[in-house]
Amino acid sequence: ADPLLQERFDATIAGNQRIEPRDWMPDGYRKTLIRQIAQHAHSEIIGMQPEGEWITRAPSLRRKAILFAKVQDEAGHGLYLYSAAETLGADRADLTERLIEGRQKYSSIFNYPTASYADVGVIGWFVDGAAICNQVPLCRSSYGPYARAMVRVCKEESFHQRQGYELLMTMMRGTDAQRAMVQDAVDRWWWPSLMMFGPPDGDSPNSARSMAWKIKRHSNDELRQRFVDMTVPQAERLGVVLPDPELRWNEERGRHDFGTPDWSELQRVISGDGPLNTERVARRRTAHEDGAWVREAATAHAAKQAARAGQ
Ligand code: FAQ
């Protein structure tokens, strides 16, 4: 690389300025961003499925309208993120192929089943809560289009988290059976939610470089800790027990101590062997194939418009 270009890139990063699509950037920086942004986009799109399954079974019109809005927001997030990846030279059709062929990852969390309507609430509370912890710092990520996409995404995630918590509050005011459903969902989602932040820092091969480039602003363990500290008082308020006997306030650190997630489970789920990996990807593949006629029609329409404009 031209040393002057590298120098300018380094100075931009050091000065907390933004790298923009037309700026020179090292190949590794571009590749890392495409990897992370594509995985993030895929997560939003696959992430529509666990809750989407409950749209036809929502307990009231109000809950149905809320859930519709949330799942549509996730589709929107996926689309902003694919657009951000395109500014780096990635091709959207190619990214989708990689996802449905299992060559590109998406978040482990979306491979778990949703057993009851309480799961919709707990996903909002935990999964969107974890997404907020992870993504608020990404609003200061060094790559402009990614950072700007995160601003709107985070605002919508806050609404998602609140709707989940409000749903759970309502269920906790209900019957014993409803309270048991909430506790059961909390028990099943707690550890997988902690795994969303990625492997522990010592086993996170990408972290050091991504942090030096200011793509990531905090380590996986730091963000996991923030999530625990944020969630514990919310659990108390709600009246549920987080399923970790080692969870307690550490006066000296001013933070919570907590147990160790089963990292072998995370590795299994990431490598494709989670409870619903096959079903999630198959559903995405079917949706993509069923949508072929829409893409063909849109392409034919665009070609006609272009021909007309050229006349
Ligand atoms: N699942 O070296 P690191 C949402 C992979 S929120 C699957 O630490 P890195 C909102 C990692 O890719 C969820 N794979 O990697 C929503 C890497 O593999 P590679 C999406 C994981 O990138 C809510 C390898 O392990 N959010 O969608 C996971 O520095 C409700 C080694 O890991 C984002 O994507 C995992 N949990 O840090 C939607 C946020 N953890 O690529 C619907 C942006 C790690 O080398 C409903 N991404 N891996 O083959 C990030 O912040 C980072 O990419 C991390 C991983 C923190 C996820």
Side-chain angles (χ1 to χ4, degrees), residues 35 39 74 105 108 134 195 198 204-206 216 220 270:
R35 176 184 66 78
Q39 285 177 8
E74 281 148 14
K105 299 185 169 83
S108 52
N134 170 270
M195 293 176 199
S204 166
N206 299 300
K216 277 167 88 162
N220 297 356
I270 291 181

Side-chain angles (χ1 to χ4, degrees), residues 251-281:
E251 193 65 54
E252 225 166 87
R253 291 201 306 130
R255 308 191 98 171
H256 292 87
D257 290 338
F258 57 99
T260 308
D262 179 353
W263 297 125
S264 65
E265 176 179 323
L266 176 63
Q267 282 317 319
R268 267 202 315 280
V269 179
I270 291 181
S271 62
D273 193 20
L276 289 177
N277 297 54
T278 311
E279 289 81 348
R280 297 293 189 232
V281 174

Side-chain angles (χ1 to χ4, degrees), residues 53-88:
E53 285 171 4
W54 285 92
I55 290 174
T56 54
R57 291 176 287 172
S60 69
L61 187 59
R62 177 170 174 269
R63 291 291 168 203
K64 191 175 178 122
I66 294 172
L67 190 55
F68 252 138
K70 179 183 193 289
V71 173
Q72 280 181 354
D73 285 351
E74 281 148 14
H77 298 174
L79 298 182
Y80 316 147
L81 286 160
Y82 285 127
S83 298
E86 283 179 321
T87 67
L88 291 155

